Coordinates of all heavy atoms in Angstrom, one line a residue:
T187 N 105.0 6.3 2.3 CA 105.9 5.3 2.9 C 105.0 4.4 3.7 O 104.2 4.8 4.5 CB 106.9 5.9 3.8 OG1 107.7 6.8 3.0 CG2 107.8 4.8 4.4
A188 N 105.1 3.1 3.5 CA 104.2 2.1 4.2 C 105.0 0.9 4.6 O 106.0 0.5 4.0 CB 103.1 1.7 3.3
I189 N 104.5 0.2 5.6 CA 105.1 -1.1 6.0 C 103.9 -2.0 6.3 O 102.9 -1.6 6.8 CB 106.0 -1.0 7.3 CG1 106.6 -2.3 7.6 CG2 105.2 -0.4 8.5 CD1 107.7 -2.2 8.7
A190 N 104.0 -3.3 5.9 CA 103.0 -4.3 6.2 C 103.7 -5.6 6.6 O 104.7 -5.9 6.0 CB 102.2 -4.5 4.9
G191 N 103.1 -6.3 7.5 CA 103.6 -7.5 8.0 C 103.0 -8.0 9.3 O 101.9 -7.5 9.7
T192 N 103.7 -8.9 9.9 CA 103.2 -9.6 11.1 C 104.0 -9.0 12.3 O 105.2 -8.9 12.3 CB 103.4 -11.1 11.1 OG1 102.8 -11.6 9.9 CG2 102.9 -11.8 12.3
I193 N 103.3 -8.6 13.4 CA 103.9 -8.1 14.6 C 104.6 -9.2 15.3 O 104.1 -10.3 15.5 CB 102.9 -7.4 15.5 CG1 102.3 -6.2 14.8 CG2 103.6 -7.0 16.8 CD1 101.2 -5.6 15.6
Q194 N 105.9 -9.0 15.5 CA 106.8 -10.0 16.2 C 106.9 -9.8 17.7 O 106.9 -10.7 18.5 CB 108.2 -10.0 15.6 CG 108.2 -10.3 14.1 CD 107.6 -11.7 13.8 OE1 108.2 -12.7 14.2 NE2 106.6 -11.7 13.0
A195 N 106.9 -8.5 18.1 CA 107.0 -8.1 19.5 C 106.5 -6.7 19.7 O 106.5 -5.9 18.8 CB 108.5 -8.2 19.9
V196 N 106.0 -6.5 20.9 CA 105.5 -5.2 21.3 C 106.1 -4.8 22.6 O 106.2 -5.6 23.5 CB 103.9 -5.2 21.4 CG1 103.4 -3.9 21.9 CG2 103.3 -5.6 20.1
K197 N 106.6 -3.6 22.7 CA 107.3 -3.1 23.9 C 106.6 -1.8 24.3 O 106.8 -0.8 23.6 CB 108.8 -2.9 23.7 CG 109.5 -4.2 23.3 CD 110.9 -3.9 22.9 CE 111.6 -5.1 22.3 NZ 112.9 -4.8 21.8
W198 N 105.7 -1.8 25.3 CA 105.0 -0.6 25.7 C 105.8 -0.1 27.0 O 106.1 -0.8 27.9 CB 103.6 -0.9 26.1 CG 102.7 -1.5 25.0 CD1 101.9 -2.6 25.1 CD2 102.5 -0.9 23.7 NE1 101.3 -2.8 23.9 CE2 101.6 -1.7 23.1 CE3 103.0 0.2 23.0 CZ2 101.1 -1.5 21.8 CZ3 102.5 0.4 21.7 CH2 101.6 -0.4 21.1
D199 N 105.9 1.2 27.0 CA 106.5 2.0 28.1 C 107.8 1.4 28.7 O 108.0 1.3 29.9 CB 105.4 2.0 29.3 CG 104.1 2.7 28.8 OD1 104.2 3.7 28.1 OD2 103.0 2.2 29.2
F200 N 108.7 1.0 27.8 CA 110.0 0.5 28.3 C 110.9 1.7 28.4 O 110.8 2.8 27.8 CB 110.5 -0.5 27.4 CG 111.1 -0.1 26.1 CD1 112.5 0.2 26.0 CD2 110.4 0.2 25.0 CE1 113.1 0.7 24.8 CE2 110.9 0.6 23.8 CZ 112.3 0.9 23.7
K201 N 111.9 1.5 29.3 CA 112.9 2.6 29.6 C 114.0 2.6 28.6 O 114.6 1.6 28.3 CB 113.4 2.4 31.0 CG 114.0 3.6 31.6 CD 114.4 3.2 33.1 CE 114.1 4.4 33.9 NZ 114.5 4.2 35.3
T202 N 114.2 3.8 28.0 CA 115.3 3.9 27.0 C 116.6 4.3 27.6 O 116.7 4.6 28.8 CB 114.9 5.0 25.9 OG1 114.9 6.3 26.6 CG2 113.6 4.7 25.3
Q203 N 117.6 4.4 26.8 CA 118.9 4.8 27.3 C 118.9 6.2 27.8 O 119.8 6.6 28.6 CB 120.0 4.7 26.2 CG 119.7 5.6 25.0 CD 120.6 5.3 23.8 OE1 121.3 4.3 23.8 NE2 120.6 6.2 22.8
F204 N 117.9 7.0 27.4 CA 117.8 8.4 27.9 C 116.9 8.5 29.1 O 116.5 9.6 29.5 CB 117.3 9.3 26.8 CG 118.2 9.2 25.6 CD1 117.7 8.6 24.4 CD2 119.5 9.7 25.6 CE1 118.5 8.5 23.3 CE2 120.3 9.7 24.4 CZ 119.8 9.0 23.3
D205 N 116.6 7.4 29.7 CA 115.8 7.3 30.9 C 114.4 7.8 30.8 O 113.8 8.3 31.7 CB 116.5 8.0 32.1 CG 116.1 7.4 33.4 OD1 115.8 6.2 33.5 OD2 116.0 8.2 34.4
D206 N 113.8 7.7 29.5 CA 112.4 8.1 29.3 C 111.7 6.8 28.9 O 112.3 5.8 28.7 CB 112.3 9.2 28.3 CG 112.9 8.9 27.0 OD1 113.6 7.9 26.9 OD2 112.7 9.7 26.1
K207 N 110.4 6.9 28.7 CA 109.6 5.7 28.3 C 109.3 5.8 26.8 O 109.0 6.9 26.3 CB 108.3 5.6 29.1 CG 108.6 5.3 30.6 CD 107.3 5.0 31.3 CE 107.6 4.6 32.7 NZ 106.4 4.4 33.5
A208 N 109.3 4.7 26.2 CA 109.0 4.6 24.7 C 108.1 3.4 24.4 O 108.0 2.5 25.2 CB 110.3 4.6 23.9
N209 N 107.6 3.4 23.2 CA 106.7 2.3 22.7 C 107.3 1.9 21.4 O 107.5 2.7 20.5 CB 105.3 2.8 22.5 CG 104.7 3.3 23.8 OD1 104.7 2.6 24.8 ND2 104.2 4.5 23.8
I210 N 107.5 0.6 21.2 CA 108.0 0.1 19.9 C 107.2 -1.1 19.5 O 106.9 -2.0 20.3 CB 109.5 -0.3 20.0 CG1 110.3 1.0 20.2 CG2 109.9 -1.1 18.8 CD1 111.8 0.8 20.2
V211 N 106.9 -1.2 18.2 CA 106.2 -2.4 17.6 C 107.2 -2.9 16.6 O 107.6 -2.2 15.7 CB 104.9 -2.0 17.0 CG1 104.3 -3.2 16.3 CG2 103.9 -1.5 18.0
S212 N 107.6 -4.2 16.8 CA 108.5 -4.8 15.8 C 107.7 -5.6 14.8 O 106.9 -6.5 15.2 CB 109.5 -5.8 16.6 OG 110.3 -5.0 17.5
I213 N 107.9 -5.4 13.6 CA 107.1 -6.0 12.5 C 108.0 -6.7 11.5 O 109.1 -6.2 11.1 CB 106.4 -4.9 11.7 CG1 105.5 -4.1 12.6 CG2 105.6 -5.5 10.5 CD1 104.9 -2.8 12.0
L214 N 107.6 -8.0 11.2 CA 108.3 -8.7 10.1 C 107.8 -8.2 8.8 O 106.7 -8.5 8.4 CB 108.0 -10.2 10.3 CG 108.7 -11.1 9.2 CD1 110.2 -11.0 9.2 CD2 108.2 -12.6 9.4
D215 N 108.6 -7.4 8.1 CA 108.2 -6.7 6.9 C 108.0 -7.7 5.8 O 109.0 -8.5 5.5 CB 109.2 -5.7 6.5 CG 108.8 -4.8 5.4 OD1 107.8 -5.1 4.7 OD2 109.5 -3.7 5.2
E216 N 106.8 -7.8 5.2 CA 106.6 -8.8 4.2 C 107.3 -8.6 2.9 O 107.4 -9.5 2.1 CB 105.1 -9.0 4.0 CG 104.4 -7.8 3.3 CD 103.0 -8.1 3.0 OE1 102.3 -8.9 3.6 OE2 102.5 -7.4 2.1
T217 N 107.8 -7.3 2.7 CA 108.4 -7.1 1.4 C 109.8 -7.6 1.4 O 110.3 -8.0 0.3 CB 108.5 -5.5 1.1 OG1 109.2 -4.9 2.2 CG2 107.1 -5.0 1.0
D218 N 110.5 -7.6 2.5 CA 111.9 -8.1 2.5 C 112.2 -9.2 3.5 O 113.4 -9.7 3.6 CB 112.9 -7.0 2.6 CG 112.7 -6.1 3.8 OD1 112.0 -6.6 4.7 OD2 113.3 -5.1 3.9
G219 N 111.3 -9.5 4.4 CA 111.5 -10.5 5.4 C 112.4 -10.1 6.6 O 112.9 -11.0 7.3
I220 N 112.5 -8.8 6.8 CA 113.4 -8.3 7.8 C 112.5 -7.7 8.9 O 111.5 -7.0 8.6 CB 114.4 -7.2 7.3 CG1 115.3 -7.9 6.3 CG2 115.2 -6.6 8.4 CD1 116.2 -6.9 5.6
V221 N 112.8 -7.9 10.2 CA 112.1 -7.4 11.3 C 112.5 -5.9 11.4 O 113.7 -5.6 11.5 CB 112.3 -8.1 12.6 CG1 111.6 -7.4 13.8 CG2 111.9 -9.6 12.5
K222 N 111.5 -5.0 11.4 CA 111.7 -3.6 11.6 C 110.9 -3.0 12.7 O 109.9 -3.6 13.0 CB 111.4 -2.9 10.2 CG 112.2 -3.4 9.1 CD 111.8 -2.8 7.8 CE 112.7 -3.4 6.7 NZ 112.2 -3.0 5.4
D223 N 111.4 -2.0 13.3 CA 110.8 -1.4 14.5 C 110.1 -0.1 14.2 O 110.7 0.8 13.5 CB 111.8 -1.2 15.6 CG 112.5 -2.4 16.0 OD1 111.8 -3.4 16.3 OD2 113.8 -2.5 16.0
I224 N 108.9 0.1 14.6 CA 108.2 1.4 14.5 C 108.1 2.0 15.9 O 107.7 1.3 16.8 CB 106.7 1.2 14.0 CG1 106.7 0.7 12.6 CG2 106.0 2.5 14.1 CD1 105.3 0.4 12.1
W225 N 108.7 3.2 16.0 CA 108.6 3.9 17.3 C 107.2 4.5 17.3 O 106.8 5.4 16.5 CB 109.6 5.0 17.3 CG 111.0 4.4 17.6 CD1 111.8 3.8 16.6 CD2 111.7 4.3 18.8 NE1 112.9 3.3 17.2 CE2 112.9 3.6 18.5 CE3 111.5 4.7 20.1 CZ2 113.9 3.4 19.5 CZ3 112.4 4.5 21.0 CH2 113.6 3.8 20.7
V226 N 106.4 4.1 18.3 CA 105.0 4.6 18.4 C 105.1 5.8 19.3 O 104.9 5.7 20.6 CB 104.1 3.5 19.0 CG1 102.7 3.9 19.1 CG2 104.2 2.2 18.2
S227 N 105.3 7.0 18.7 CA 105.5 8.2 19.5 C 104.6 9.3 19.1 O 104.5 10.3 19.9 CB 107.0 8.6 19.3 OG 107.2 8.9 17.9
T228 N 103.9 9.2 18.0 CA 102.9 10.3 17.7 C 101.6 10.0 18.3 O 101.3 8.8 18.5 CB 102.8 10.4 16.1 OG1 102.2 9.3 15.6 CG2 104.1 10.7 15.5
V229 N 100.8 11.0 18.4 CA 99.4 10.8 19.0 C 98.6 9.8 18.2 O 98.0 8.9 18.8 CB 98.7 12.2 19.1 CG1 97.3 12.0 19.5 CG2 99.4 13.1 20.0
Q230 N 98.6 9.9 16.9 CA 97.8 9.0 16.0 C 98.3 7.6 16.2 O 97.5 6.7 16.2 CB 97.8 9.5 14.6 CG 96.8 8.7 13.8 CD 96.7 9.2 12.3 OE1 97.5 10.0 11.9 NE2 95.7 8.7 11.6
L231 N 99.6 7.3 16.2 CA 100.1 6.0 16.3 C 99.8 5.4 17.7 O 99.5 4.2 17.8 CB 101.6 5.9 16.0 CG 102.0 6.0 14.5 CD1 103.5 6.0 14.4 CD2 101.3 5.0 13.7
I232 N 100.0 6.2 18.7 CA 99.7 5.7 20.1 C 98.2 5.3 20.2 O 97.9 4.3 20.7 CB 100.1 6.8 21.1 CG1 101.6 6.9 21.2 CG2 99.5 6.4 22.5 CD1 102.1 8.1 22.1
N233 N 97.3 6.2 19.7 CA 95.9 5.9 19.7 C 95.5 4.7 18.9 O 94.8 3.8 19.2 CB 95.1 7.1 19.3 CG 93.6 7.0 19.6 OD1 93.3 6.5 20.7 ND2 92.8 7.3 18.7
G234 N 96.1 4.6 17.7 CA 95.8 3.6 16.7 C 96.4 2.2 17.0 O 95.9 1.2 16.5
L235 N 97.4 2.1 17.8 CA 98.1 0.9 18.0 C 98.0 0.4 19.5 O 98.0 -0.7 19.8 CB 99.5 0.9 17.6 CG 99.8 1.2 16.1 CD1 101.3 1.3 15.8 CD2 99.1 0.1 15.2

Side-chain angles (χ1 to χ4, degrees):
T187 304
I189 185 169
T192 305
I193 296 176
Q194 301 298 301
V196 177
K197 301 172 188 172
W198 299 129
D199 300 323
F200 77 94
K201 201 174 219 184
T202 69
Q203 64 188 10
F204 304 108
D205 205 31
D206 57 354
K207 291 185 178 180
N209 302 304
I210 291 185
V211 175
S212 299
I213 301 169
L214 178 61
D215 189 347
E216 70 176 22
T217 59
D218 58 13
I220 297 174
V221 175
K222 298 175 182 171
D223 302 307
I224 293 179
W225 288 76
V226 182
S227 57
T228 67
V229 172
Q230 189 177 9
L231 288 178
I232 290 171
N233 192 45
L235 300 176

